[in-house]
Amino acid sequence: MLQTKIWSKEETFEREQFREIQLQRLKATVERVYNKVPHYKAKFDERGILPSDIKTLDDLKKLPFTVKGDFRDTYPCGLFSVPRNELVRFHASSGTTGKPTVVGYTRNDLAMWREMVARIVSMAGVTAGDTAQISFGYGLFTGALGLNQGLEEVGAAVIPMSSGNTKKQIMMMQDMETTALISTPSYALHMAEIAKEMGIDPAKDLHLKWGLFGGEGSTEAMRKELNDTWGLFATENYGMSELIGPGVAGECQALSGMHINEDHFMPEIINPETGEVLGEGEVGELVITTISKEGLPIIRYRTKDITSLSYEKCQCGRTTVRMSKIQGRSDDMLILGGVNVFPSQIEEVLISTQGIGPHYQIKVFKKGYLDRIEVIVELSDADFLDSFGKLESLNKVIKNRLKTVLGLDAKVTLVQPRTLERFEGKAKRVIDLRKEGIK
């Protein structure tokens, strides 16, 4: 058995114990939203559903879905189930229409949130003896403060660096002997580049042991890159503002999926096209119902993330359900000439190809009536530019590998190191020009 600390006894409950807790809390949550959130009451009434109709966990599928647009339609606080004077903190995520998604927390919500994050940082390996540097942006974003409070809960010393000012990040990491790095995976790779420019070997000259990465998807190839570059043990964690922030799920050191804190977040997998609930091991869209939140309880939230669930006991000793590595988002999936393509598939090919770096960009466009894709990727060594033959050979290798994985031809453009934009937050990898009609 792996030797990471299990923070809460609830992480090792028997399946029947989970089911009892979930049913009790689900019934209470349904009662709460029906009586206190007009938006949900209207949805329930439209379906002819009463709280008393929820008698078993299987009845969850009778309830309506919640989607991102519901937050927009009830902006700013129409989904809250408590008066404003019971809320003690607000966060918000960016909105595509100019209005953010606003979320709020009662004192009990914040206590639960700290507990959830304490669980996931403990399963990743962090203890009271660690110094954790948070390189997420602080502010309305839930990631930084969410992880901050959970790390403090386990007794770790926290350096609230925020994002940006990368040379100072490295200096603090070196001087304070940081042992745990919290950031997006893409920003961690950017920091490693800057460290090397400063004459610092991230794997040899620093003290990092743990990397807790989130905020964007990544592949196993990127995990290996992070481990090798920093000399640490990288784990992923999962959450979103609408649900609570970080703390919904996280990886233990077995790396066999992310443990969902299912005594507080009930997961389902659905067919993203039909809404049909799928079985264990089947791949589909993750749907989460919060069953213990007071301020902002959410029923069957469609996350858009594509994954599957496993209920087998993990070798770490935890019995909580695990979600597999996210394959992509249903709304990020690119359909090119009838072929479904996830950006993560492209990333896997690129990062595992020798001679190129981890930074890339995907452009999708129309050529005539046909969909086309261009993959722009940085070389890891500028010396490649001095040899046309080497460039041609590398380009051909990448094109062939992409053709094998994707089943379609992609234009590959190799550019000099440090050419593409770096991101301190979520990396923006895909530029879809088809809607603009650019050819």
Side-chain angles (χ1 to χ4, degrees):
M1 184 179 295
L2 299 170
Q3 298 302 307
T4 54
K5 179 180 175 62
I6 295 178
W7 184 258
S8 305
K9 67 181 185 301
E10 288 86 352
E11 297 175 80
T12 59
F13 276 177
E14 296 297 327
R15 180 53 39 194
E16 193 52 42
Q17 288 177 283
F18 279 125
R19 292 180 63 83
E20 288 176 7
I21 289 174
Q22 287 174 341
L23 183 57
Q24 175 189 349
R25 291 179 174 176
L26 175 63
K27 286 180 175 181
T29 297
V30 170
E31 188 83 33
R32 171 184 284 269
V33 300
Y34 186 81
N35 291 320
K36 298 186 177 183
V37 185
H39 175 83
Y40 278 119
K41 185 178 188 304
K43 277 195 166 187
F44 282 30
D45 289 347
E46 185 180 328
R47 289 193 169 206
I49 299 171
L50 293 171
S52 57
D53 293 329
I54 306 305
K55 295 180 172 61
T56 70
L57 291 179
D58 194 52
D59 291 329
L60 177 62
K61 63 187 178 184
K62 297 178 181 178
L63 300 176
F65 292 115
T66 305
V67 296
K68 185 88 168 180
D70 293 324
F71 284 84
R72 181 181 62 246
D73 296 341
T74 58
Y75 176 86
C77 300
L79 291 179
F80 290 102
S81 67
V82 298
R84 288 282 291 268
N85 63 3
E86 292 185 26
L87 296 167
V88 296
R89 191 194 296 176
F90 291 101
H91 281 281
S93 62
S94 59
T96 56
T97 59
K99 295 292 187 181
T101 297
V102 177
V103 298
Y105 305 81
T106 65
R107 291 191 183 279
N108 287 337
D109 289 336
L110 288 183
M112 183 270 282
W113 194 9
R114 285 195 299 274
E115 167 80 7
M116 296 304 96
V117 178
R119 290 184 188 181
I120 69 167
V121 301
S122 294
M123 68 179 70
V126 176
T127 68
D130 282 298
T131 298
Q133 186 161 321
I134 298 179
S135 299
F136 282 133
Y138 279 73
L140 289 175
F141 173 57
T142 56
L145 279 169
L147 281 152
N148 192 319
Q149 62 195 6
L151 287 160
E152 290 177 345
E153 183 77 4
V154 303
V158 176
I159 303 173
M161 279 299 299
S162 195
S163 57
N165 203 347
T166 306
K167 288 186 178 180
K168 189 174 183 180
Q169 296 262 8
I170 303 302
M171 180 192 75
M172 290 294 289
M173 204 177 290
Q174 191 172 37
D175 296 346
M176 300 302 293
E177 299 187 358
T178 301
T179 56
L181 173 62
I182 293 88
S183 75
T184 63
S186 57
Y187 187 50
L189 290 174
H190 175 56
M191 282 195 284
E193 289 180 329
I194 301 300
K196 290 174 183 177
E197 290 178 4
M198 296 167 65
I200 296 170
D201 185 328
K204 295 179 180 178
D205 300 334
L206 300 175
H207 299 81
L208 287 177
K209 297 188 296 183
W210 318 114
L212 283 74
F213 300 111
E216 65 186 21
S218 64
T219 60
E220 287 303 320
M222 183 172 279
R223 190 204 301 273
K224 184 177 186 306
E225 182 85 11
L226 289 163
N227 287 341
D228 294 346
T229 301
W230 286 102
L232 50 69
F233 187 89
T235 56
E236 284 189 300
N237 52 78
Y238 179 83
M240 52 180 56
S241 298
E242 296 90 329
L243 301 177
I244 197 168
V248 175
E251 283 184 309
C252 71
Q253 292 186 1
L255 301 180
S256 58
M258 284 185 273
H259 291 269
I260 299 175
N261 289 317
E262 60 175 312
D263 49 331
H264 297 273
F265 305 97
M266 279 186 63
E268 303 170 88
I269 298 294
I270 65 166
N271 180 319
E273 296 180 0
T274 66
E276 174 195 2
V277 177
L278 303 179
E280 180 178 359
E282 293 188 86
V283 175
E285 180 183 344
L286 178 67
V287 172
I288 296 283
T289 299
T290 69
I291 53 175
S292 62
K293 286 174 63 184
E294 292 179 340
L296 184 62
I298 298 296
I299 302 295
R300 303 191 80 196
Y301 187 71
R302 294 191 60 163
T303 68
K304 301 293 186 181
D305 291 318
I306 304 299
T307 182
S308 62
L309 299 177
S310 171
Y311 289 87
E312 289 184 11
K313 182 177 179 179
C314 181
Q315 60 177 295
C316 74
R318 292 174 180 84
T319 55
T320 43
V321 62
R322 284 167 288 147
M323 54 187 280
S324 63
K325 193 169 194 63
I326 293 171
Q327 298 182 13
R329 289 177 56 81
S330 60
D331 53 355
D332 282 349
M333 183 177 71
L334 301 170
I335 302 177
L336 306 172
V339 178
N340 296 341
V341 175
F342 286 106
S344 58
Q345 294 174 293
I346 297 172
E347 180 181 292
E348 190 79 41
V349 168
L350 298 178
I351 294 182
S352 60
T353 301
Q354 190 172 5
I356 58 177
H359 300 284
Y360 64 93
Q361 189 177 79
I362 301 166
K363 287 187 178 181
V364 184
F365 56 95
K366 285 278 190 185
K367 188 171 183 180
Y369 294 102
L370 301 177
D371 292 329
R372 291 289 184 260
I373 184 170
E374 178 183 11
V375 179
I376 305 166
V377 61
E378 288 182 353
L379 295 163
S380 60
D381 186 349
D383 290 344
F384 268 96
L385 297 169
D386 297 330
S387 172
F388 180 78
K390 287 183 178 179
L391 278 177
E392 283 290 293
S393 177
L394 181 57
N395 192 299
K396 186 175 181 180
V397 166
I398 298 170
K399 285 192 69 170
N400 287 341
R401 294 190 68 190
L402 288 172
K403 177 68 179 289
T404 299
V405 171
L406 305 179
L408 49 79
D409 290 312
K411 178 183 178 182
V412 175
T413 302
L414 301 174
V415 298
Q416 295 185 47
R418 305 302 304 275
T419 299
L420 297 175
E421 182 180 359
R422 301 308 196 248
F423 299 93
E424 295 171 359
K426 291 184 180 181
K428 299 176 180 65
R429 304 289 197 193
V430 180
I431 300 175
D432 193 336
L433 303 174
R434 290 175 294 182
K435 293 181 181 178
E436 285 79 5
I438 299 174
K439 298 182 181 181

